[in-house]
Structures are given as C-alpha cells and as structure tokens.
Amino acid sequence: MTTVLDFLVRLHEQGLTYTTLNTARSAISALTVSTDRTPVGSHPIVSRFMKGIYKCTPPMPRYQSTWDVQPVLSYLSGLSPMEKLDLKTLTLKVTMLVALVSAQRSQTLHMLNINFMKDTSSCFEFVLPAHIKQSRPGYRPQPVMLHAYPHDKSLCVYSYLTEYLKRTQPLRGKETQLFLSFTRPHKAISKETLSRWIRTVMSSAGIDVASFKPHSTRSASTSKAKAACIPMDEILRTAGWSSSRSFDRFYDKPVQSTTFASAVLHIE
C-alpha cells in the first residue's frame, strides 16, 4: 500500500493533474489487490489522499467562457455564392459548417465516409463506421445528421455539402472519406489537418485561436443552442452525450449573442 501511495505522491510532485492521478489509480487498482482482497485504489489511505488532491487541485474545464459564433457565421455567409468558390474555400466552409451544426469532435468528423452516407433530399445522414470516444458496450452512437437550412442558403450545410460532393467526385478515385485534401493528389486527410482547417476559419473570422482550440466549436455551438432554448435532450442527442453532466461541466459556457442546426445558424 505504501508503495502505491508513494507512486501517486511522486506523480503529484511532477505536477500531474487530479484526472491523470485518478487514471493511474484506476489502472493500478485493476491489477492489484491488498492483503485483505480490497482493490488498492479503494483503500482508505489512497482514497483519503485522492480526496485531498481533489480539494487542492480540482479538475477544471479548459475554458471558462466560449466564443460567439456570430462572427464566424457572418464570415461564412460572405463566402458565397458557392459556384464561385474555389475548392479550398469551399472545403473550409463546408468543414466549419459541419463542425458547428453537428457539434462533433474532430475525430468524428474525420471518420465521416460517403459509403456510410444517406441523402434524403433535405438531409445527409452519416452512420459512423468505427468506434468513437464515447463508444462502449451497449452504446450505439447517433448518426450525424446534416439538415438543409432554407432560411439562409449561404449557411445551408446541405447545399454546400452537395456542391462539395459534386466537385470532389471526379477527384476521389477510390477515396471514400468525406473530406479530401484540396491540393493534389486529393487524398484523404488526417485528423490533424481537419483541425487545422477549422482553426484557419476561426482565425479568419477573428476568433482568438491562441485561446480557443478547434475543439471549442463543440462548446460554442451547443452553448448557443442552449441559449436559444433548444431542449436539452436534443442538444445531448446531437452532440452524442448520454447525460447532461459532461455538457454542464465542460461545454456549457456563457456566450454573447427550431431545431438544433437552425438555432446555431441563426444570425442575430
């Protein structure tokens, strides 16, 4: 027991967070039991130590506030009409629109695949072909739904994605990943490239990218949806959360500023 506690203390002295320490405790506990057959991670001494760490350095969300989506929407709206956009600009606009109206992680956006896509004439539905961060036994991730937005064609993700698919079809060859490089030889992109595209749009729209990472689109869009009085169950379903705990703790941030996508795309 002393050895386990000493190990956790050394990790704490290296400046590791409570969350990292707790992950280490869980890993050790899964493999080791004390002499009384109790998992070492549940031993009173270890539990008391972890409670002390939690009180001193509680886990904190990355952001205390989030950026307003309005400048980004205004910037995207100005990138029109779609027929006159070059492939690079069209790609960046589609990527950002999909990120905002789906509230998904870059990991999920990266795995969108046209072989698992259904077009219903007013909505693209993507079934996820691989495990995502939330995947676990008994959990079935919701498909990513990209609905038409007839109120403002310049922000209609369905229309712009239709144009993107038409432009990239002759470039694809055997590539089935939705997002392709806009430079030759137009191969499937990495998750890092997709995040860089989102960051580029944020920067062009005036968002402080030194403070906000591409993943913050998830917080910005869901926070705006909540401010627009979208039902919580629709926010959770769209973003892929099983309960409101993660949203309340890490993503629900104050923003300045009827479906989920309509609330996100509405320009005040």
Side-chain angles (χ1 to χ4, degrees):
M1 185 57 59
T2 303
T3 302
V4 174
L5 188 60
D6 287 344
F7 175 69
L8 292 176
V9 170
R10 288 199 298 272
L11 292 181
H12 175 58
E13 290 174 345
Q14 294 174 18
L16 299 183
T17 64
Y18 168 84
T19 301
T20 303
L21 292 176
N22 202 35
T23 300
R25 178 182 70 159
S26 298
I28 296 172
S29 184
L31 300 173
T32 313
V33 295
S34 61
T35 53
D36 61 358
R37 311 304 298 173
T38 302
V40 294
S42 303
H43 192 279
I45 296 177
V46 175
S47 296
R48 194 185 317 162
F49 172 77
M50 292 304 298
K51 286 181 180 178
I53 296 298
Y54 182 86
K55 290 181 178 179
C56 294
T57 56
M60 297 293 292
R62 180 188 292 270
Y63 308 115
Q64 301 303 315
S65 62
T66 192
W67 45 273
D68 185 2
V69 300
Q70 297 302 132
V72 174
L73 296 180
S74 296
Y75 172 75
L76 293 177
S77 181
L79 302 178
S80 58
M82 67 180 74
E83 296 81 7
K84 294 186 177 181
L85 300 181
D86 59 36
L87 182 58
K88 176 181 178 180
T89 305
L90 177 64
T91 300
L92 295 179
K93 178 168 182 174
V94 170
T95 302
M96 192 61 167
L97 283 174
V98 172
L100 288 174
V101 303
S102 70
Q104 296 294 328
R105 295 180 175 86
S106 296
Q107 176 206 19
T108 304
L109 302 181
H110 177 255
M111 69 173 61
L112 296 182
N113 191 299
I114 61 174
N115 281 351
F116 297 88
M117 177 188 75
K118 180 169 68 175
D119 183 359
T120 65
S121 76
S122 63
C123 174
F124 285 109
E125 177 181 336
F126 288 89
V127 176
L128 301 180
H131 289 304
I132 58 175
K133 182 177 180 180
Q134 302 100 311
S135 296
R136 60 185 181 277
Y139 174 80
R140 184 182 179 86
Q142 292 289 323
V144 175
M145 311 291 287
L146 304 174
H147 295 276
Y149 186 61
H151 305 290
D152 187 344
K153 288 297 182 65
S154 70
L155 293 175
C156 179
V157 66
Y158 178 84
S159 298
Y160 276 84
L161 183 51
T162 299
E163 176 71 12
Y164 178 75
L165 290 170
K166 183 176 71 175
R167 294 262 203 105
T168 56
Q169 194 279 329
L171 308 175
R172 287 187 172 277
K174 296 182 179 179
E175 295 287 358
T176 60
Q177 183 178 311
L178 174 60
F179 293 111
L180 302 179
S181 172
F182 44 74
T183 59
R184 295 179 184 276
H186 306 294
K187 296 297 185 180
I189 61 166
S190 66
K191 185 173 64 175
E192 291 71 26
T193 295
L194 191 144
S195 294
R196 188 170 66 250
W197 288 354
I198 294 174
R199 185 178 186 275
T200 296
V201 176
M202 290 170 59
S203 177
S204 297
I207 304 302
D208 181 8
V209 293
S211 300
F212 294 105
K213 306 302 181 184
H215 182 71
S216 63
T217 55
R218 195 159 155 86
S219 173
S221 62
T222 53
S223 294
K224 181 175 182 183
K226 182 185 177 185
C229 299
I230 297 301
M232 182 55 63
D233 61 346
E234 183 172 354
I235 294 175
L236 299 180
R237 183 173 62 253
T238 301
W241 294 311
S242 57
S243 74
S244 62
R245 183 176 180 182
S246 292
F247 174 62
D248 293 340
R249 188 173 181 182
F250 297 107
Y251 296 96
D252 184 15
K253 305 298 178 185
V255 291
Q256 301 171 354
S257 352
T258 275
T259 62
F260 180 93
S262 294
V264 171
L265 294 175
H266 174 66
I267 298 181
E268 298 171 352

